[in-house]
Amino acid sequence: MKNNVRYLARLAPLAATVMKDGAVEQIGAICHRFGENGGVQILLITTRASRRWTIPKGWPIKDLKPHRVAEREAWEEAGITGKAKKRPWGYYTYLKTLANGRKVAPVVAAHLLKVDGVHSKFPEQGERQLEWLSPTDAAARVQEPELKGLLTSVLKKIPAESYSR
């Protein structure tokens, strides 16, 4: 709880910016698979700049539906192929520093993505660390309180049977 309070305190100064300029939109993918141990696994990746743990995400792409953007981001950032749900699983906010130094608070629409393939060669290969974790362990690694909640809620909604082919 203490870390959540600190994180929210860092977001507070951006409230005026968000209210004035509006929130910026991003789209993310909560990549999940059924692991060998019988449980659901979530993919986390590190960001290129700060090296903090997160999910694959990026900016909207003109003429591409949001769930397709989630699929593209999973491929580009982590070498993951799969099918994303059309409706977002949920939303979360975080602090982002743009190349020009300006800080923004994106609202990320996070789509569940069922993993069909994991590839060793992909566009951002070598730029990030990737790790498969249980939803609980994944939630413990990320900073954003709302993302923590989204990751732990995966346990309740994705039964092992959904992975049968």
Side-chain angles (χ1 to χ4, degrees):
M1 184 61 148
K2 188 176 182 181
N3 288 339
N4 290 353
V5 171
R6 275 189 283 208
Y7 179 78
L8 293 172
R10 288 186 5 227
L11 278 178
L14 292 176
T17 301
V18 171
M19 298 305 283
K20 178 180 160 234
D21 300 332
V24 295
E25 176 187 8
Q26 284 196 315
I27 299 159
I30 298 176
C31 303
H32 59 90
R33 68 181 185 185
F34 189 60
E36 292 176 13
N37 66 353
V40 174
Q41 295 180 321
I42 302 287
L43 174 74
L44 290 185
I45 64 171
T46 56
T47 63
R48 288 187 286 193
S50 69
R51 309 302 291 171
R52 67 183 170 73
W53 291 99
T54 190
I55 61 172
K57 65 186 170 313
W59 303 106
I61 300 170
K62 186 179 180 187
D63 299 326
L64 202 58
K65 293 185 179 193
H67 69 286
R68 297 292 182 216
V69 173
E71 293 169 354
R72 181 179 285 187
E73 292 300 328
W75 164 250
E76 290 177 357
E77 296 183 359
I80 299 298
T81 55
K83 185 171 174 72
K85 295 280 188 185
K86 289 182 181 179
R87 285 190 161 162
W89 178 246
Y91 299 85
Y92 74 95
T93 56
Y94 75 103
L95 292 172
K96 179 167 186 67
T97 303
L98 302 175
N100 65 6
R102 181 175 166 235
K103 291 187 186 280
V104 295
V107 175
V108 180
H111 294 258
L112 288 176
L113 185 147
K114 183 178 175 186
V115 175
D116 292 330
V118 180
H119 305 271
S120 59
K121 294 186 178 187
F122 52 94
E124 296 182 17
Q125 173 188 338
E127 297 179 31
R128 304 170 185 277
Q129 269 186 278
L130 286 67
E131 194 160 344
W132 289 98
L133 301 161
S134 72
T136 304
D137 290 342
R141 288 254 182 112
V142 299
Q143 294 177 358
E144 302 82 3
E146 297 154 313
L147 181 55
K148 286 176 183 289
L150 291 176
L151 296 176
T152 56
S153 69
V154 168
L155 278 173
K156 299 172 191 158
K157 299 293 182 182
I158 301 177
E161 304 85 58
S162 71
Y163 286 88
S164 60
R165 296 215 182 259

